[in-house]
Structure formats: C-alpha cells, structure tokens
Amino acid sequence: MKQIGLHEPFFTGKEKKYLIKCIDENWVSSSGKFLNLFQRKFQNITKGKFLSPVLNGTIGLHISMIQAGVSKNDEVIVPTITFVATINSIKYVGASPLFMDVDEYLNIDEQKTIEFIEKKTIFNNGYTYNKITGNKIKALVVVHTFGNAARIEKIFEICKKRKIKLIEDAAESLGTKYNSGKFRNKHTGTIGDFGIFSFNGNKIVTSGNGGIVVSKNKKDSLKINYLISQAKDDKINFIHNEVGYNYKLSNISAALGLAQLEKLNLFIKRKKSIRDYYKKKIETIKGVKILESPKYSQNNNWLNLVQISKKEKMKKIIKKLNSNGFQSRPIWHPNHMQQSFKKNYKYKIKKAEEFVKSIICLPSSVSLKNKQIDKIINLIK
Ligand SMILES: Cc1ncc(COP(=O)(O)O)c(C=O)c1O
C-alpha cells in the first residue's frame, strides 16, 4: 500500500525544464544563473535583503552560529520543541543549548524566556552571563514551528538590550508573515540578526536539499558568502586566509527551487483550504481539536496537528492511521529529554512535556485530496 506522507513534494511547474537547462548549459555546481534567479525570487517573496544560499537548513544554522560568534563554552537559548538540527548546530560550534518551554503554538515561550533573562542572567562588559553556569549567552534561537510565527517582539527587544544575537529558524515558515504589531508585514526569518530557511523535500517548497540564510547586515552576509565558498581570497592562486566550508547551494538545486517558488502562492492557498477542511471535519469529533495558528500572523499552514484529550488513545490512533496508509506521528520528542542533551540547562519546562503526549501530526501535503482527509477523519473517529 502506498503511504500518504505528512508533507510530500509537489511538482507541476517548470522543474523539469529548468533542470534540463542546467545540464544542457553545463552549469550544475556552485555557480550558474539559477542561483541568482532563485535568490531574486526568494527576495521578492520575503523582502529579506542579504542572502546566502546554502546546501541545507542545518548548514544555514551552523554558519549563522559561527557568524554570530557563538563558540566553545557559550550558551544559546532555544525552545525544546524543534527539529534536532537546531540543537545540533549549537553543538557543532562547541556551545550548549539552554532549553526553554513552548507556548500554545509550540513556539518558544516568550514570557518564560524574558523572565529567565531578567532573573537568571547578568549583563557585564557587553555580555550576558548565565548566573548559574557563569557562561556567556551569545545567541537565542526562535523557531517558527510548523509554520507558526513565534512571538518575537519582546524577545527582539531584550536581545538588542543584552547583546544577544537573535537567530530565526524559519525552516518551516516560508510564506508566514506577521499581520500586526511592530513587525507587521515582515516575513518570518527576516527580523533577527540571521534567519534560516530550509528547502528539504518535506517543506512547502523544495530544492531537493537546500537552504538560505538571511542576514540583517551586509557585512555578515558578505562574510557568510565568503565562508560557504571555501574562504577563497584569491581565485587564481587559491589563497585562503581562513578556514572555509563547501556549503554553497548548487545551480541544480536552485533551478528546482526556482520552479517551486514560482508556485508558492498556489501551494499556500491549497494548504489553507486543507487546514479549513480539517478544521470543519475535526470539530465534529469529541475530544479532538485542531491546533490553531496565531491570529497575529498570516500562516503558511505547513502542517496540521490535532490534540487528543484522552492521551492514552494517542498511540492507538497513530497506529491505526499508519496501518491504513496515512503517515502520522507525535511532534518531535522534546530535546531536553534526548540522550545527548539531558545534562543541559533547562528552565521551567512543562507544556512541551504535555504536548508530546497529546499532539498528532497529520498528512498535510499540497497534493492531499479532501476525500483522503475524510478517510483520515473516519479513522480518527
Ligand atoms: C525547524 C527545523 N530546523 C532546521 C531544519 C533543518 O533543515 P534541513 O533539513 O534543510 O537541514 C528543519 C528541517 O528539516 C526544521 O524543520
């Protein structure tokens, strides 16, 4: 039986045409016109000014950590509910995650984060120190989880005041913008010092593998572009004055990504109608509710989640859906409970541990049919 995935790629545009062009014109690696066109299209959509196309979102996080100056023995504040790549990128530079709880949208709990910074840290000589460990807190990552824009206004202010670099993990939130408040009309991922996007096959648009880093400052962006291209100072004599990385996106990926970006509005429309349909149907089931998205933003509705009031039924529902050909699973296991990160500092985490026992991810691909949603609903019932 063919399984209906949670988020499958959908190709109906110029993907093949652009890919063939790359091959015909012999531009398949880290240079070529599609890299420029892809970035221009992305810039049009997000208004993000300074861009660095990278091989994937994880690499985008890694290079942002480096450019944010995060290094050995530093700490980075991060929500416990996120894909493990967010946390791994902190480890790659020898720093430690400092775990926060999440709010009702599964994003970093703004109130607890502010409370932690105000009560448990001190500001000295231009750095914020964790009072308990004595380590510097160099960065804070907000994750726009499952396409939901995170509450960011107060976090933005305190990061500025405390000289903490703000990194937005917008891997899942292409198409999600704020529609009220200080950041009205701003696209997620374009507010912090760095914002990263992913174009993995499971995202709203894909370039196979791929990512983009949006930098707030030109200087940071130039440095990132230098680092991701092997830190080449002299192209003829191959002089490298720093340790660089082979992290740049390929023209092939950019070609695929461009064709997908051209369809983004259509994908967002379909995602919205899938969300509305699920919502209408799920309202008829007692003890199950769809997780709402924030009213302060226009959401890309990347993934649909339901919360089950009888937690003991969750495993059974997941098993039933999977055995009938519909992929489903709980949300990510909270990272502060993962083997590799158990010893790291965590602050008043409560909701995250509850949510992982009661929330189920449901198929949400652009290609999903209403008839298939009806089947999913019947299985849950
Ligand atoms: C929240 C989040 N952060 C980071 C990543 C990493 O992106 P990539 O798979 O492109 O490395 C992903 C997705 O895969 C993600 O969902």
Side-chain angles (χ1 to χ4, degrees), residues 7 20 51 57 76 109 133 183 188 228 234 239 265 278 301 331 336:
H7 19 54
I20 289 168
L51 309 180
V76 177
D109 186 315
T133 61
F183 297 118
T188 48
I228 62 175
D234 182 320
I239 304 299
N265 284 341
Y278 261 127
N301 296 304
I331 55 168
H336 71 282

Side-chain angles (χ1 to χ4, degrees), residues 62-317:
H62 182 201
I63 208 77
S64 300
M65 291 291 160
I66 293 171
Q67 190 54 21
V70 181
S71 59
K72 200 157 180 260
N73 298 328
D74 291 336
E75 293 179 9
V76 177
I77 299 173
V78 67
T80 185
I81 298 289
T82 180
F83 182 50
V84 72
T86 322
I87 317 301
N88 284 341
S89 69
I90 299 167
K91 288 288 195 180
Y92 296 160
V93 291
S96 299
L98 204 159
F99 290 112
M100 286 290 147
D101 205 1
V102 293
D103 64 12
E104 71 274 33
Y105 303 120
L106 301 168
N107 290 324
I108 194 163
D109 186 315
E110 189 177 49
Q111 213 176 330
K112 284 185 191 171
T113 306
I114 302 291
E115 181 187 284
F116 170 80
I117 296 175
E118 283 176 348
K119 291 193 177 156
K120 304 285 179 188
T121 73
I122 47 160
F123 191 60
N124 196 2
N125 266 338
Y127 289 107
T128 294
Y129 290 87
N130 183 340
K131 277 191 208 169
I132 297 136
T133 61
N135 293 330
K136 282 179 193 158
I137 298 172
K138 285 267 188 74
L140 185 155
V141 186
V142 293
V143 183
H144 302 292
T145 318
F146 303 122
N148 289 334
R151 289 188 175 96
I152 204 173
E153 289 189 16
K154 290 186 190 138
I155 285 178
F156 179 87
E157 287 307 324
I158 204 157
C159 282
K160 208 161 83 182
K161 195 166 129 200
R162 294 299 210 90
K163 305 251 182 286
I164 297 170
K165 294 282 182 189
L166 179 58
I167 300 172
E168 293 178 77
D169 183 339
E172 300 168 352
S173 70
L174 182 66
T176 299
K177 284 185 206 166
Y178 290 90
N179 59 18
S180 62
K182 183 180 161 90
F183 297 118
R184 188 165 176 265
N185 288 332
K186 286 259 185 203
H187 197 289
T188 48
T190 65
I191 294 162
D193 296 285
F194 304 95
I196 74 98
F197 290 81
S198 164
F199 305 107
N200 186 275
N202 64 358
K203 299 301 183 288
I204 192 159
V205 303
T206 184
S207 61
N209 258 319
I212 273 188
V213 180
V214 179
S215 303
K216 196 164 190 176
N217 297 311
K218 191 173 179 184
K219 208 170 138 204
D220 283 329
S221 183
L222 289 174
K223 185 67 189 277
I224 289 179
N225 284 334
Y226 165 75
L227 289 174
I228 62 175
S229 310
Q230 304 282 27
K232 200 181 279 177
D233 290 280
D234 182 320
K235 285 182 184 156
I236 296 182
N237 299 302
F238 276 58
I239 304 299
H240 307 264
N241 293 321
E242 276 190 53
V243 176
Y245 304 84
N246 185 10
Y247 277 3
K248 195 175 168 196
L249 190 74
S250 76
N251 198 47
I252 286 196
S253 285
L256 187 61
L258 174 66
Q260 288 266 289
L261 282 182
E262 288 170 354
K263 295 282 175 183
L264 179 65
N265 284 341
L266 203 80
F267 292 176
I268 289 175
K269 248 192 203 156
R270 179 61 195 142
K271 288 271 192 190
K272 171 83 170 68
S273 66
I274 291 173
R275 167 68 54 95
D276 291 345
Y277 197 71
Y278 261 127
K279 212 171 141 183
K280 195 172 94 190
K281 295 280 166 169
I282 281 164
E283 271 167 7
T284 63
I285 317 177
K286 218 173 133 209
V288 183
K289 67 168 189 182
I290 193 137
L291 249 79
E292 298 285 348
S293 41
K295 299 278 179 287
Y296 53 78
S297 63
Q298 174 195 312
N299 203 274
N300 72 357
N301 296 304
W302 177 61
L303 189 66
N304 292 288
L305 308 160
V306 285
Q307 191 165 25
I308 311 291
S309 61
K310 286 190 180 160
K311 290 179 197 146
E312 67 279 7
K313 301 255 173 173
M314 195 168 123
K315 272 194 187 140
K316 201 173 156 193
I317 295 173

